[in-house]
């Protein structure tokens, strides 16, 4: 066991770290269990508040009444999982600080969603981001996008479920697969019953736990090795402080180009078009609140990245002074951090439990968001279009069942993730292979008006006549109304689908505004709306008024 913590100089160890199997004390188990129970209690509280009165809008979009602060923390927590908490320090410890340059991508990676993607999705009054793909292209594209997202998130959830359970197994001997099962079922239970509001508020609590757990490791660790200045000095002397690597070779592990520029596209795929994040934007009470929540994520992301990198540097300095045991030297990279934490925090009851709770909080926040978003796209994109007669009560029950079923499915994927190698690299690979094409599809629709589906929903001669007049009218309205430059490319494509969608009472595949509106016409100047009720006035843009006589 180690001696008490010092704030001035490194302490001498009374025993070699890591020789004996690290175990939790009673206090550690209490702290760990308390965090899990509080997360479950928050979810059940929101389930109880709406018991018997939940609508599908409340379950999937929190009734579109969430404020900026909880949405921002939920956006942060959704992809700040145990994968990052374990993977980033291990990356810094092994390869140095080059990965830290990923922070350069956060500015554009969050600014672009705030000013381009959020206005598009919010003004269209969507529930699923992939509804846009049908409005812009056709139903087949929408289904392909939805299925791709489901595949991406189910695979990723396996990684997120497996990582903290592996950590708990390494430090306490707790059964690996029992841990996976407990985590998955608890999360699926409160997500299914409480809906998005429960997910967002548990995310807020779990984000605070993650900050506290990582901060405790940095403070205690830097104190034991002589302070952060000494940590930086040791890392610099041993070549762990990296400069800007400008090598254009794409096969180099990390360079400025792959992190700063490649990271922008990774951030756009996560914060621009990923359903888990888009759903949070759409739950905001106003478009401005959604944009502000995206702004607020930027400094939080920088702090989170900084904390992960500092843990890696502290771990490196610590093991320069206190060499690893044979057991630690043979450990997998994903277990380095947990062995370090248990070595570091021995003799400080409660802190090891807090850090493991921090890992589980990261996983709970990510998994709950995934279960909720998977249930949403399954209902809105795959089930409701085929069964439009589905009642509100039936849709509500079905969303709860789907959230729980996705939880069970992801339990099976946890085994697959155990064969995928280091968790950080596995996660980045998944989002690169699947998130990239999805981002490209949305960008194609928003920024390239010339890209159209092979089969138009209206006769070609009608399309040619009206489309040219529509484009000319929008060119005029941009000058008259002074639309923001960032939206001038987006608005024509956003509004163009209003010429091709159908009304609830109109025949299929006919335009809503060319004399085929059916028995239930809507205002001529509204944006396409997938809501079952009347169109909100917020959906009518000033630019649409110039189309009245087309």
């Amino acid at each position: 066991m180690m001696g008490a913590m010092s704030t001035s100089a490194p302490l001498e160890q009374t025993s070699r770290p890591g020789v004996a199997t690290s175990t939790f004390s009673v206090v550690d188990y209490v702290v760990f269990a308390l965090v899990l129970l509080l997360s479950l209690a928050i979810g059940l509280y929101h389930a109880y508040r709406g018991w018997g009165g939940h609508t599908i809008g409340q379950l999937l979009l929190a009734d579109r009444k969430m404020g900026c602060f909880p949405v921002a923390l939920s956006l942060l927590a959704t992809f700040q999982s145990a994968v990052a908490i374990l993977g980033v320090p291990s990356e810094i410890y092994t390869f140095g600080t080059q990965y830290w340059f990923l922070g350069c991508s956060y500015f554009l990676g969050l600014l672009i969603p705030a000013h381009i993607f959020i206005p598009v999705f919010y003004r269209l009054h969507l529930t699923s981001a992939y509804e846009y793909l049908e409005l812009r292209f056709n139903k087949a594209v929408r289904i392909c996008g939805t299925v791709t997202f489901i595949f991406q998130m189910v695979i990723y959830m396996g990684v997120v479920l497996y990582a903290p359970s592996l950590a708990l197994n390494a430090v306490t001997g707790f059964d690996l697969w029992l841990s996976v099962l407990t985590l998955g079922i608890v999360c699926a239970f409160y997500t299914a019953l409480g809906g998005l509001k429960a997910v967002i508020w548990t995310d807020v609590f779990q984000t605070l736990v993650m900050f506290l757990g990582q901060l405790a490791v940095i403070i205690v660790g830097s104190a034991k090795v002589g302070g952060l200045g000494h940590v930086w000095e040791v890392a610099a002397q041993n070549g762990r402080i990296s400069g800007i690597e400008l090598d254009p070779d794409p096969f180099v592990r990390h360079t400025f180009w792959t992190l700063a520029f490649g990271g922008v596209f990774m951030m756009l795929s996560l914060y621009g078009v990923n359903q888990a994040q888009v759903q949070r934007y759409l739950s905001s009470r106003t478009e401005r609140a959604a944009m502000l929540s995206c702004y607020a994520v930027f400094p939080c992301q920088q702090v989170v990245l900084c904390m992960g990198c500092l843990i890696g540097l502290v771990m490196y300095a610590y093991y320069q002074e206190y060499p690893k045991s044979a057991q630690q030297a043979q450990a997998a990279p994903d277990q380095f951090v947990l062995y370090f934490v248990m070595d570091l925090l021995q003799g400080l009851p409660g802190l090891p439990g807090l850090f493991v709770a921090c890992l589980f909080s990261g996983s709970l926040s990510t998994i709950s968001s995934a279960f909720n978003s998977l249930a949403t796209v399954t209902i809105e994109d795959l089930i409701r279009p085929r069964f439009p007669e589905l009642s509100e009560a039936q849709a509500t029950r079905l969303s709860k069942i789907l959230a729980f079923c996705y939880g069970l499915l992801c339990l099976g994927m946890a085994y697959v993730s155990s064969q995928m190698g280091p968790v950080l690299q596995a996660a980045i690979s998944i989002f690169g292979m699947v998130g990239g094409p999805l981002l490209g599809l949305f960008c194609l629709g928003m920024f390239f008006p010339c890209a159209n589906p092979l089969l138009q929903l209206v006769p070609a001669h009608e399309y040619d006549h009206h489309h040219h007049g529509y484009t000319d009218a929008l060119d005029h309205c941009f000058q008259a109304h002074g639309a923001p430059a960032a939206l001038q490319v987006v608005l024509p494509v956003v509004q163009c689908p209003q010429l091709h969608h159908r009304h609830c009472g109109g025949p299929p595949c006919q335009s809503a505004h060319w004399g085929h509106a059916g028995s239930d016409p809507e205002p001529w100047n509204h944006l396409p709306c997938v809501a079952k009720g009347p169109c909100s006035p917020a959906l009518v843009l000033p630019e649409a008024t110039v189309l009245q006589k087309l």
Side-chain angles (χ1 to χ4, degrees):
M1 300 294 288
M2 291 185 192
M5 180 182 71
S6 169
T7 58
S8 57
L11 292 177
E12 295 298 326
Q13 286 182 298
T14 58
S15 65
R16 183 181 175 87
V19 173
T21 302
S22 300
T23 57
F24 265 15
S25 67
V26 174
V27 178
D28 293 321
Y29 277 113
V30 169
V31 171
F32 173 60
L34 190 60
V35 169
L36 290 183
L37 288 174
L38 285 174
S39 296
L40 183 61
I42 293 170
L44 294 180
Y45 168 74
H46 287 285
Y48 175 77
R49 283 189 63 186
W51 193 261
H54 273 149
T55 64
I56 195 68
Q58 289 171 334
L59 276 177
L60 302 184
L61 291 174
D63 222 14
R64 300 184 190 266
K65 292 181 180 179
M66 296 304 298
C68 170
F69 173 73
V71 170
L73 290 185
S74 183
L75 286 169
L76 175 68
T78 296
F79 290 107
Q80 176 57 23
S81 66
V83 172
I85 296 171
L86 290 175
V88 173
S90 177
E91 173 75 22
I92 299 298
Y93 175 86
T94 307
F95 299 102
T97 59
Q98 189 70 39
Y99 185 81
W100 209 330
F101 286 103
L102 181 66
C104 299
S105 69
Y106 291 170
F107 180 72
L108 284 178
L110 292 167
L111 186 66
I112 293 173
H115 286 277
I116 293 182
F117 292 107
I118 289 178
V120 169
F121 293 132
Y122 202 92
R123 294 179 189 185
L124 290 178
H125 208 69
L126 305 177
T127 300
S128 163
Y130 306 102
E131 293 174 74
Y132 169 80
L133 296 179
E134 182 175 358
L135 294 173
R136 177 62 179 87
F137 298 110
N138 55 34
K139 185 172 290 186
V141 178
R142 174 183 180 178
I143 292 174
C144 286
T146 300
V147 171
T148 302
F149 169 76
I150 292 173
F151 171 78
Q152 173 194 28
M153 294 306 290
V154 168
I155 296 293
Y156 181 63
M157 285 309 98
V159 176
V160 175
L161 267 173
Y162 176 72
S165 301
L166 173 68
L168 189 65
N169 171 261
V171 300
T172 68
F174 193 80
D175 184 79
L176 173 64
W177 298 107
L178 179 60
S179 176
V180 169
L181 186 66
T182 302
L183 181 63
I185 290 180
V186 166
C187 189
F189 188 69
Y190 77 73
T191 303
L193 294 180
L196 185 61
K197 183 176 286 189
V199 170
I200 288 176
W201 282 111
T202 51
D203 283 352
V204 172
F205 168 70
Q206 288 156 4
T207 301
L208 297 177
V209 173
M210 284 188 278
F211 273 110
L212 289 175
Q214 293 179 89
L215 191 61
V217 172
I218 293 171
I219 292 173
V220 176
S222 60
K224 287 195 173 183
V225 296
L228 285 177
H230 181 68
V231 167
W232 192 268
E233 182 181 346
V234 170
Q237 289 173 354
N238 291 274
R240 284 299 187 273
I241 306 299
S242 305
I244 298 178
E245 176 59 68
L246 298 177
D247 189 344
D249 185 356
F251 295 102
V252 175
R253 183 180 182 84
H254 291 310
T255 67
F256 177 79
W257 310 112
T258 57
L259 291 170
F261 289 95
V264 170
F265 292 100
M266 185 179 73
M267 291 292 292
L268 290 179
S269 70
L270 295 179
Y271 286 90
V273 300
N274 188 282
Q275 172 65 22
Q277 305 293 53
V278 170
Q279 209 165 325
R280 278 149 183 72
Y281 301 143
L282 298 175
S283 72
S284 302
R285 59 171 60 101
T286 64
E287 181 182 323
R288 178 179 173 80
M291 294 174 67
L292 288 176
S293 65
C294 196
Y295 293 151
V297 174
F298 175 71
C300 296
Q301 281 278 27
Q302 295 289 356
V303 171
V304 166
L305 178 62
C306 183
M307 292 175 72
C309 293
L310 284 177
I311 290 175
L313 292 179
V314 169
M315 182 165 63
Y316 186 83
Y318 180 86
Y319 282 125
Q320 292 300 303
E321 188 156 349
Y322 306 113
K324 295 179 185 178
S325 67
Q327 180 186 9
Q328 291 169 330
Q330 296 173 2
D334 303 327
Q335 296 176 329
F336 284 169
V337 177
L338 260 297
Y339 278 119
F340 164 65
V341 168
M342 293 305 294
D343 271 355
L344 179 70
L345 302 180
Q346 288 182 74
L348 298 171
L351 290 185
L354 177 64
F355 188 80
V356 174
C358 158
L359 289 180
F360 272 73
S361 293
S363 285
L364 284 170
S365 62
T366 303
I367 295 167
S368 60
S369 301
F371 292 168
N372 188 261
S373 60
L374 287 168
T376 299
V377 298
T378 303
I379 287 179
E380 296 296 325
D381 297 331
L382 302 180
I383 296 178
R384 271 191 159 177
R386 297 185 65 86
F387 303 97
E389 71 280 358
L390 202 66
S391 69
E392 186 80 7
Q394 290 173 324
T396 301
R397 285 195 299 270
L398 185 58
S399 71
K400 294 179 179 180
I401 293 171
L402 283 170
F404 195 81
C405 288
Y406 274 117
L408 299 180
L409 175 61
C410 292
L411 288 175
M413 294 310 303
Y415 174 76
V416 176
S417 71
S418 68
Q419 311 298 316
M420 294 177 67
V423 292
L424 183 66
Q425 194 147 355
I428 292 176
S429 298
I430 290 168
F431 279 101
M433 290 185 293
V434 182
L438 276 179
L439 173 64
L441 189 58
F442 279 93
C443 289
L444 179 69
M446 292 183 184
F447 299 112
F448 295 92
C450 58
N452 290 297
L454 293 176
L455 298 176
Q456 297 293 344
L457 298 182
V458 296
H461 67 279
E462 292 188 17
Y463 175 82
D464 290 339
H465 172 72
H466 289 277
H467 181 266
H468 289 303
Y470 183 83
T471 304
D472 294 340
L474 278 178
D475 289 340
H476 168 76
C477 78
F478 282 143
Q479 297 176 4
H481 295 282
L487 291 178
Q488 289 191 14
V489 179
V490 178
L491 285 176
V493 183
V494 174
Q495 290 189 310
C496 196
Q498 77 176 18
L499 298 177
H500 308 297
H501 76 281
R502 62 180 287 256
H503 286 273
C504 297
C509 300
Q510 290 187 348
S511 167
H513 303 296
W514 298 343
H516 304 293
S519 60
D520 186 23
E522 296 177 3
W524 60 267
N525 63 341
H526 72 289
L527 288 174
C529 178
V530 295
K532 301 305 178 188
C535 235
S536 166
L539 300 177
V540 181
L541 296 183
E543 289 81 358
T545 59
V546 299
L547 305 175
Q548 186 170 12
K549 297 183 179 179
L550 288 181

